[in-house]
Amino acid sequence: MKQYDVAVVGLGVLGSGAAYYAAKKGAKVIGFEQFELGHVRGASHDTSRIVRTSNFAPEYVALAKSAYKDWAELERVTGHKMLTTTGGVVFFAPDAPMPASDFTNSLDAENVPYEVLDAQEVKRRWPQFDIPDSTSTVFTADSAVAHAAKTVSTLQSLAHSHGATLKDNTPVDRVTPLTSNGQSSGVIIDTPKGRFQAAKVILATDAWINKLLAPLSVHIPVSVMQEQVTYYKPIDPSAFEPDRFPVWIWFGTTAYYGFPCYGEPTIKAGRDTSNNFMSPEERTFVHSPQLLDQLSSFMRDFIPDPRRQPLRTVTCQYTITPDRHFIISPLENYADIIVGLGAAHAFKFAPAFGRVLAELAVDGHTDEDISKWGIPKAATCNSKL
């Protein structure tokens, strides 16, 4: 049975980041992916993702600041541009579930510069938008776009270059903690291709997390749903180039988000959560015409363009944790098993998120403040194997 310092289960962006940073620290790393590398069954595929410091809680702003440093380091070591800076606007409608002050207070707490804009100033800077006068807007100049699939492949390539073994098409059937004299002493990982042993294992399995936790009498109450984004062709793509149009988020009764042109003459938009609940096994990959009509109706008023055409709609998978907070933590009863769940908003933090998981596995601690991202108390069971 081959032995490793760190095993990573799930090689989406978070698991791939963890594998890279653990290998970079000199650990002997093995990673397992149940599908092919770069697959489209999870939440790390397709093209663009928003990267921003603006957020509703200071701990997320702090991690985003760290992530920007990690993104810059990835650019340095690869020689490739990882982020395209566009600036970003967050719109708060009168019926938004949170006030703009949640964002500005969090940005103030972490000394991140921003501007609060009224509707007239928004329209002056970006006449593409047509927002109600009652809208409050927070602008952060550092907001950017990352390429999703390229980020994942870059992290996997870097992990390989530091000696990590990444096994695709290798589902993990069971993770069994070992004990010696009542103390944790590593983990056994069972797969159809063999049995492996590691000192620590990182579970970055997203919607499949409870499959591996169930034998440990642990269940995290996640909600899984199929979401979708649509790419539209504007009549004048030049008006939506990254230097002329920002990434944007609309907070109202329903939340939407979108992008400038990025690699093609289209703009991309989507709804944040549609409550289209499913399990990974039930996922259809067929988009909902009703959700597309709802999105297109919103876009007609929000970014008017009477001849704009929807070109394609792509589905993805959301895995939402309680209160939509991250989980970055060892299991309470099994300290050698570390869980990383991004609650469907972690891509912007990906290199920092992966680095923190690696620090927990290799060093046993991290300097980042992850105190609010533990395993929910209701999720754990005190029974032992």
Side-chain angles (χ1 to χ4, degrees), residues 353-370:
F353 201 118
R355 173 176 53 78
V356 168
L357 290 172
E359 289 167 351
L360 292 177
V362 178
D363 305 327
H365 64 88
T366 178
D367 291 333
E368 303 288 350
D369 181 7
I370 59 172

Side-chain angles (χ1 to χ4, degrees), residues 51-54 68 83-88 112-113 139-144:
V51 178
R52 55 185 168 92
T53 49
S54 57
Y68 269 90
L83 299 183
T84 298
T85 302
T86 62
V112 175
F139 169 73
T140 46
D142 62 357
S143 294

Side-chain angles (χ1 to χ4, degrees), residues 6-51:
V6 178
V8 180
V9 185
L11 294 175
V13 71
L14 302 183
S16 296
Y20 163 52
Y21 285 102
K24 182 182 178 184
K25 283 179 165 289
K28 186 178 180 181
V29 176
I30 186 166
F32 301 96
E33 171 53 56
Q34 63 179 321
F35 305 116
E36 69 276 8
L37 296 181
H39 67 84
V40 300
R41 296 170 179 85
S44 297
H45 61 287
D46 204 33
T47 56
S48 47
R49 295 293 191 278
I50 295 175
V51 178

Side-chain angles (χ1 to χ4, degrees), residues 49-55 64 68 71 81-90 103 107 112-115 126 138-146 242-243 245-249 258-260 262 348:
R49 295 293 191 278
I50 295 175
V51 178
R52 55 185 168 92
T53 49
S54 57
N55 219 301
Y68 269 90
W71 284 110
K81 187 176 182 180
M82 302 297 295
L83 299 183
T84 298
T85 302
T86 62
V89 284
V90 182
F103 275 52
L107 292 166
V112 175
Y114 63 88
E115 296 178 70
W126 305 287
V138 177
F139 169 73
T140 46
D142 62 357
S143 294
V145 179
D243 59 348
F245 190 70
V247 293
W248 57 267
I249 297 171
F259 299 78
Y262 181 70
K348 65 183 74 65

